mmCIF file of all heavy atoms in Angstrom:
data_model
loop_
_atom_site.group_PDB
_atom_site.id
_atom_site.type_symbol
_atom_site.label_atom_id
_atom_site.label_comp_id
_atom_site.label_asym_id
_atom_site.label_seq_id
_atom_site.Cartn_x
_atom_site.Cartn_y
_atom_site.Cartn_z
ATOM 1 N N ASP A 150 -83.208 136.136 -84.376
ATOM 2 C CA ASP A 150 -83.473 134.702 -84.365
ATOM 3 C C ASP A 150 -82.851 133.992 -83.153
ATOM 4 O O ASP A 150 -82.983 132.784 -83.000
ATOM 5 C CB ASP A 150 -83.034 134.043 -85.672
ATOM 6 C CG ASP A 150 -81.542 134.160 -85.940
ATOM 7 O OD1 ASP A 150 -80.858 134.922 -85.231
ATOM 8 O OD2 ASP A 150 -81.070 133.484 -86.868
ATOM 9 N N ILE A 152 -83.616 135.023 -79.992
ATOM 10 C CA ILE A 152 -84.426 135.364 -78.829
ATOM 11 C C ILE A 152 -85.833 134.786 -78.917
ATOM 12 O O ILE A 152 -86.291 134.410 -79.992
ATOM 13 C CB ILE A 152 -84.515 136.889 -78.621
ATOM 14 C CG1 ILE A 152 -85.143 137.563 -79.844
ATOM 15 C CG2 ILE A 152 -83.152 137.479 -78.305
ATOM 16 C CD1 ILE A 152 -85.428 139.038 -79.653
ATOM 17 N N LYS A 157 -94.187 141.025 -71.379
ATOM 18 C CA LYS A 157 -94.294 142.429 -71.754
ATOM 19 C C LYS A 157 -94.301 143.290 -70.491
ATOM 20 O O LYS A 157 -94.907 142.931 -69.488
ATOM 21 C CB LYS A 157 -95.584 142.649 -72.537
ATOM 22 C CG LYS A 157 -95.762 144.041 -73.071
ATOM 23 C CD LYS A 157 -97.014 144.125 -73.923
ATOM 24 C CE LYS A 157 -97.094 145.514 -74.559
ATOM 25 N NZ LYS A 157 -98.234 145.587 -75.480
ATOM 26 N N VAL A 198 -81.931 141.491 -63.963
ATOM 27 C CA VAL A 198 -82.923 141.749 -62.921
ATOM 28 C C VAL A 198 -82.215 141.906 -61.585
ATOM 29 O O VAL A 198 -81.471 141.027 -61.159
ATOM 30 C CB VAL A 198 -83.957 140.600 -62.877
ATOM 31 C CG1 VAL A 198 -84.884 140.763 -61.693
ATOM 32 C CG2 VAL A 198 -84.745 140.556 -64.181
ATOM 33 N N SER A 214 -81.312 146.281 -63.092
ATOM 34 C CA SER A 214 -80.057 146.907 -62.681
ATOM 35 C C SER A 214 -79.807 148.142 -63.540
ATOM 36 O O SER A 214 -79.944 148.091 -64.765
ATOM 37 C CB SER A 214 -78.886 145.936 -62.853
ATOM 38 O OG SER A 214 -79.016 144.864 -61.967
ATOM 39 N N ILE A 232 -86.028 136.585 -74.004
ATOM 40 C CA ILE A 232 -84.871 135.917 -73.420
ATOM 41 C C ILE A 232 -84.126 135.214 -74.543
ATOM 42 O O ILE A 232 -84.681 134.972 -75.617
ATOM 43 C CB ILE A 232 -85.253 134.921 -72.298
ATOM 44 C CG1 ILE A 232 -86.155 133.811 -72.826
ATOM 45 C CG2 ILE A 232 -85.899 135.637 -71.131
ATOM 46 C CD1 ILE A 232 -86.482 132.721 -71.797
ATOM 47 N N SER A 259 -78.358 108.092 -45.123
ATOM 48 C CA SER A 259 -77.706 107.750 -43.850
ATOM 49 C C SER A 259 -78.345 106.550 -43.170
ATOM 50 O O SER A 259 -77.650 105.713 -42.617
ATOM 51 C CB SER A 259 -77.680 108.952 -42.907
ATOM 52 O OG SER A 259 -78.992 109.355 -42.601
ATOM 53 N N PHE A 279 -89.996 118.283 -53.208
ATOM 54 C CA PHE A 279 -90.497 117.002 -53.699
ATOM 55 C C PHE A 279 -91.748 116.681 -52.893
ATOM 56 O O PHE A 279 -91.739 116.776 -51.661
ATOM 57 C CB PHE A 279 -89.481 115.873 -53.478
ATOM 58 C CG PHE A 279 -88.234 115.973 -54.303
ATOM 59 C CD1 PHE A 279 -86.985 115.906 -53.701
ATOM 60 C CD2 PHE A 279 -88.295 116.113 -55.681
ATOM 61 C CE1 PHE A 279 -85.823 115.973 -54.447
ATOM 62 C CE2 PHE A 279 -87.138 116.182 -56.438
ATOM 63 C CZ PHE A 279 -85.904 116.120 -55.824
ATOM 64 N N ILE A 301 -78.461 110.050 -57.710
ATOM 65 C CA ILE A 301 -79.651 109.738 -58.500
ATOM 66 C C ILE A 301 -79.294 108.559 -59.392
ATOM 67 O O ILE A 301 -78.383 108.642 -60.203
ATOM 68 C CB ILE A 301 -80.101 110.940 -59.352
ATOM 69 C CG1 ILE A 301 -80.475 112.133 -58.459
ATOM 70 C CG2 ILE A 301 -81.274 110.548 -60.248
ATOM 71 C CD1 ILE A 301 -80.804 113.400 -59.224
ATOM 72 N N ILE A 328 -107.391 119.778 -27.120
ATOM 73 C CA ILE A 328 -108.479 120.181 -26.226
ATOM 74 C C ILE A 328 -108.356 121.652 -25.895
ATOM 75 O O ILE A 328 -107.348 122.200 -25.722
ATOM 76 C CB ILE A 328 -108.436 119.352 -24.921
ATOM 77 C CG1 ILE A 328 -108.601 117.886 -25.288
ATOM 78 C CG2 ILE A 328 -109.531 119.812 -23.976
ATOM 79 C CD1 ILE A 328 -108.513 116.939 -24.136
#
Side-chain angles (χ1 to χ4, degrees):
D150 62 349
I152 60 173
K157 184 175 185 175
V198 173
S214 294
I232 61 175
S259 62
F279 292 128
I301 298 175
I328 300 177

